[in-house]
C-alpha cells in the first residue's frame, strides 16, 4: 500500500517511517517498546486534530445535502463543538494511555498532552472557535458558489470522505502495489466531467514553492479517475480549498499529458523506494540503530516518536 502521506513521512525522517510503517508495533505486542510505538502511532497534534474535526463536519454537511436535507450552520457548529470537547476531555485526562484501543472512538490522543507540551493559555473554547471559523469559511464558500452545490446535487456519483481501503476505495495499482488516494470529495458530474476537492484547514501558501507538495498531492489524486475509470485527462479537474482565512481560497488544477507523466514518474520512484525499505525489513537487515535520524532537530521536537527515539540521541546532537 502506497500513499502520498507515506512518501512524505519517508522524506521527513527514515526513523519515523520505520516506526510508522515497518515496526510491526501493535497495542497487544508483548514488547512494551512496541506497545509504546503502537500508541504513538495514534497521536495527533492539535492542528491535525482540529483539521480532522472540521473535515468530519464538512462531510456531515455534504451527507445531509445528499439526503435532501438543509443543515443550518449552527447545528453543524454545535456537533463540531461537542465532538471537540469530548475528544479534548479524553486526551487531557490521558485516558488514551489507559484505553489506547478506544482512541478514535471515545476521543483523541493529543501530542501536546502525551508530551506535556500544551502551550500556556490554551483553552478548549479557543480551539473550538478556531475550528468553527474554518467550518464557517467552508460554509460561506459553499453558499457563495451555487454552482458547487448544484454540481454536487446533480452529480451522477459522489464520494464523500470515502474509506481509503476496501473494495472501490479511491486509488490505482502501481505494479503490485496499491496507491491510495485519500480524496475529501469527488464528483462524477452530470455533464460527464470529474471533479476532486481537497479541504485544507490552513492558509494558502504564499509562494508556488510552498504549495508544491499540495499540487503534487492533488495531481496524484487526479490520476485515480483517469487510470481506473478511464476519464480522459481533459475531463478531470480538482480544487484545493484553503479554509484558514475568513474568505476561503480556492486553487484549481488540471492534468495534461506532460504533468500526468511527471506525476506517474514521481509515484513510481517513491513506490520503488518504499519497496526497497519493505525488502530490507522482510530480510531482517533493518535495525533501528542503523537508521539515520532526521536532518533537522526541529523535526524531532514535533515528532510523535521522540520518546522512543530521542533516548538514542546525545545532547551533542539535540541541545
Ligand atoms: S525523533 Fe527525530 S529522528 Fe526520531 S523518528 Fe522522530 S523525527 Fe525521526
Amino acid at each position: 500500500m502506497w500513499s502520498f502521506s507515506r512518501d512524505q513521512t519517508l522524506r521527513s525522517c527514515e526513523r519515523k517511517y520505520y516506526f510508522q510503517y515497518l515496526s510491526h508495533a501493535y497495542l497487544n505486542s508483548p514488547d512494551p517498546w512496541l506497545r509504546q510505538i503502537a500508541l504513538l502511532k495514534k497521536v495527533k497534534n492539535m492542528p491535525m486534530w482540529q483539521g480532522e474535526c472540521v473535515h468530519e463536519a464538512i462531510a456531515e454537511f455534504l451527507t445531509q445535502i445528499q439526503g435532501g436535507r438543509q443543515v443550518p450552520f449552527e447545528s453543524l457548529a454545535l456537533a463540531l463543538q461537542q465532538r471537540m470537547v469530548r475528544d479534548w476531555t479524553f486526551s487531557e485526562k490521558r485516558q488514551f494511555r489507559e484505553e489506547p484501543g478506544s482512541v478514535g472512538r471515545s476521543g483523541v490522543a493529543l501530542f501536546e498532552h502525551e508530551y506535556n507540551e500544551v502551550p500556556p493559555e490554551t483553552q478548549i473554547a479557543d480551539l473550538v472557535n478556531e475550528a468553527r471559523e474554518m467550518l464557517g469559511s467552508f460554509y460561506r464558500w459553499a453558499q457563495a458558489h451555487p454552482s458547487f452545490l448544484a454540481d454536487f446535487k446533480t452529480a451522477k456519483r459522489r464520494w464523500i470522505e470515502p474509506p481509503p481501503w476496501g473494495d472501490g476505495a479511491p486509488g490505482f495499482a502501481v505494479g503490485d502495489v496499491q496507491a491510495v488516494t485519500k480524496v475529501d470529495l469527488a464528483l462524477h458530474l452530470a455533464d460527464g466531467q470529474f471533479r476532486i476537492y481537497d479541504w485544507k484547514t490552513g492558509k494558502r501558501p504564499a509562494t508556488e514553492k510552498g504549495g508544491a507538495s499540495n499540487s503534487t498531492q492533488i495531481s496524484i489524486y487526479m490520476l485515480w479517475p483517469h487510470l481506473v475509470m478511464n476519464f480522459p485527462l481533459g475531463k478531470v479537474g480538482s480544487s484545493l480549498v484553503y479554509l484558514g482565512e475568513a474568505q476561503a481560497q480556492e486553487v484549481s488544477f488540471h492534468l495534461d499529458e506532460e504533468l500526468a507523466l511527471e506525476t506517474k514518474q514521481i509515484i513510481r520512484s517513491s513506490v520503488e523506494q518504499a519497496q526497497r525499505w519493505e525488502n530490507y525489513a522482510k530480510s531482517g537487515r533493518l535495525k533501528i540503530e542503523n537508521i539515520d535520524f532526521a536532518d533537522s532537530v526541529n523535526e524531532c521536537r514535533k515528532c510523535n516518536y521522540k520518546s522512543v527515539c530521542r533516548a538514542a540521541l546525545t545532547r551533542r546532537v539535540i541541545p
Side-chain angles (χ1 to χ4, degrees), residues 13 15-16 19 292-294 299-300 303 305-306 309-310:
C13 172
R15 282 187 156 232
K16 198 188 286 184
F19 291 129
D292 276 343
F293 295 107
E299 193 68 38
C300 298
C303 173
Y305 301 106
K306 60 184 177 179
C309 179
R310 276 186 67 174

Side-chain angles (χ1 to χ4, degrees), residues 198-318:
D198 199 62
W199 322 121
K200 296 285 181 204
T201 48
K203 291 185 179 172
R204 180 180 177 175
T207 60
E208 204 173 305
K209 197 172 165 210
S213 128
N214 289 345
S215 60
T216 303
Q217 179 188 24
I218 202 81
S219 297
I220 293 167
Y221 290 3
M222 284 191 284
L223 286 175
W224 159 52
H226 173 60
L227 295 176
V228 175
M229 292 176 268
N230 300 318
F231 279 85
L233 287 176
K235 290 200 169 207
V236 180
S238 62
S239 285
L240 295 175
V241 184
Y242 292 95
L243 307 174
E245 290 168 79
Q247 191 171 354
Q249 302 278 319
E250 180 178 354
V251 186
S252 297
F253 295 85
H254 286 278
L255 269 186
D256 57 21
E257 291 291 344
E258 196 182 333
L259 186 55
L261 211 60
E262 204 179 296
T263 307
K264 283 187 212 167
Q265 191 47 48
I266 291 172
I267 299 169
R268 222 172 281 122
S269 67
S270 175
V271 166
E272 281 168 12
Q273 196 181 19
Q275 282 178 318
R276 278 196 293 277
W277 279 86
E278 199 81 42
N279 291 338
Y280 290 146
K282 278 189 191 145
S283 69
R285 283 183 289 149
L286 197 60
K287 302 275 181 260
I288 184 67
E289 54 273 23
N290 298 331
I291 306 176
D292 276 343
F293 295 107
D295 291 342
S296 152
V297 168
N298 285 335
E299 193 68 38
C300 298
R301 289 203 174 103
K302 59 184 185 190
C303 173
N304 285 10
Y305 301 106
K306 60 184 177 179
S307 58
V308 288
C309 179
R310 276 186 67 174
L313 293 170
T314 64
R315 289 183 67 79
R316 196 163 49 80
V317 182
I318 285 194

Side-chain angles (χ1 to χ4, degrees), residues 86-123:
R86 180 207 66 174
D87 280 1
W88 178 265
T89 308
F90 180 90
S91 183
E92 192 177 33
K93 292 180 183 162
R94 278 68 172 176
Q95 256 174 280
F96 52 84
R97 292 185 189 157
E98 316 307 318
E99 309 161 38
S102 64
V103 172
R105 276 182 289 113
S106 307
V108 70
L110 289 175
F111 172 92
E112 290 80 358
H113 287 137
E114 169 63 11
Y115 286 106
N116 292 321
E117 289 182 21
V118 179
E121 317 287 319
T122 302
Q123 299 287 335

